[in-house]
Amino acid sequence: MSSLKAHSQTLYDTDYLQWIETTVEKLQSHDYAKVDWEILIEEIADIGRSERRSLNKLYVPLRSLYSYTSLILYC
């Protein structure tokens, strides 16, 4: 493991916000060689899973509300 990657993982583990800010700066400056792609890809995938869970949590109440509203409107 390179010292750069070790630093990124350490920063990720110790100061998540700083890791995000540093990663954004690297991407904005097109310094792609220094981006910790493994962790970045994992984080993006986690965001996708989190969003999917959030939508699924909304689905049941919204479906119930729709059914209730349909029942009232068509009675």
Side-chain angles (χ1 to χ4, degrees):
M1 177 185 311
S2 71
S3 63
L4 179 61
K5 188 169 184 176
H7 171 71
S8 294
Q9 287 180 337
T10 301
L11 184 58
Y12 174 82
D13 293 332
T14 60
D15 190 344
Y16 181 70
L17 181 58
Q18 183 62 45
W19 176 81
I20 290 173
E21 292 170 350
T22 301
T23 301
V24 168
E25 289 172 8
K26 290 173 186 176
L27 291 169
Q28 288 175 332
S29 66
H30 305 282
D31 193 2
Y32 303 125
K34 293 183 182 176
V35 172
D36 189 336
W37 291 104
E38 186 177 330
I39 292 178
L40 181 58
I41 290 167
E42 184 179 315
E43 285 298 310
I44 292 170
D46 285 346
I47 290 169
R49 285 188 290 273
S50 176
E51 290 296 317
R52 183 173 292 131
R53 281 192 300 272
S54 295
L55 289 173
N56 286 336
K57 286 179 184 178
L58 289 174
Y59 175 74
V60 172
L62 288 174
R63 185 182 66 197
S64 298
L65 180 60
Y66 173 77
S67 297
Y68 177 75
T69 304
S70 297
L71 181 66
I72 290 175
L73 291 175
Y74 298 111
C75 282

